[in-house]
Amino acid sequence: MVASAVGGRGKVLVLARDVPVGHVLAADDLRQAEVASGTGVVLAADRARVLGQRAKVPLVAGSLLAPGQFGGARDFPPRGQSEVAFAIEVGNASPEVVRGDRVAVLEGPGGSATGGGEEKEEVAPVVGTVTAAKTADSPGGPRVVTVLVETGAVRRAAGLEHPRVVVLPAEGREAP
C-alpha cells in the first residue's frame, strides 16, 4: 500500500506526461513537486512502489498522482460505458478536438444511414467524451478520435461509416 502525505509541505509525485489506461508507469512518467498539503496523494518517497504499476484510469500531465489511480484491476472504462475509436476523415472534425471534449458523433455524407435509397433512416448521434485524439498518420489521412460512450450506443457507433464529430457545450444535454 502506498502511503500518502498527511498534511504540511511535502514532495509528491506528479505526472510528467499523459498516461493512457493500462500503461505501466515508468520513471520518465513521473516527476516530483513540492506542495503545501499532500493529503490524499502519493509521496515522492514512495516512487519505487509506484514504478511498474499499471494506470487504472487515464492520467493527465501535471496532475498529482493519487493512490487509487494505479495498481491491479482497471477501473476504466467505468461500468456501463465503453470506448469507441472513430477514423475521422479530413473535414469531418475540428482539428482542435482534444481529450475531455464532450462530442456528438454523427453519420457523415455518403454514409449508409444518410444516403443511397429513397428512404433515409435517421440515426441518432452518439454522444460521449473524447478520451484520445490522434493526428493523422499521413497528410490527408484519417485521424483517430476515441470517445467514451454508453455501452448501449456501441453498436450504433460501430455502424457509422463516415463519422463526423461535433463539439458540444461542456455542460448540458443538447445534442444535434
Side-chain angles (χ1 to χ4, degrees):
M1 186 79 182
V2 175
S4 58
V6 184
R9 293 188 70 80
K11 291 192 182 223
V12 297
L13 292 178
V14 176
L15 276 294
R17 61 182 176 196
D18 289 351
V19 173
V21 172
H23 175 80
V24 176
L25 294 170
D28 56 347
D29 295 324
L30 305 169
R31 63 180 174 82
Q32 291 183 26
E34 191 163 325
V35 295
S37 176
T39 303
V41 295
V42 179
L43 296 172
D46 291 325
R47 181 184 190 98
R49 291 188 207 149
V50 172
L51 297 176
Q53 297 289 320
R54 289 194 182 277
K56 293 167 70 174
V57 296
L59 302 172
V60 179
S63 63
L64 299 173
L65 187 64
Q69 295 175 321
F70 58 90
R74 289 172 58 164
D75 286 341
F76 192 87
R79 173 173 267 132
Q81 297 188 318
S82 299
E83 282 188 304
V84 178
F86 296 95
I88 307 297
E89 297 165 2
V90 175
N92 280 352
S94 166
E96 287 82 29
V97 169
V98 295
R99 185 166 74 176
D101 282 347
R102 198 168 143 266
V103 298
V105 183
L106 309 143
E107 183 73 57
S112 62
T114 60
E118 287 184 23
E119 288 187 35
K120 292 183 181 179
E121 181 183 330
E122 185 70 28
V123 175
V126 176
V127 177
T129 302
V130 175
T131 58
K134 296 181 182 177
T135 58
D137 290 335
S138 61
R143 64 188 284 216
V144 177
V145 176
T146 305
V147 180
L148 182 67
V149 302
E150 289 183 13
T151 299
V154 169
R155 183 177 298 253
R156 189 170 72 239
L160 298 174
E161 292 183 35
H162 299 281
R164 287 183 304 168
V165 175
V166 177
V167 178
L168 300 172
E171 293 182 22
R173 293 227 167 272
E174 57 284 330

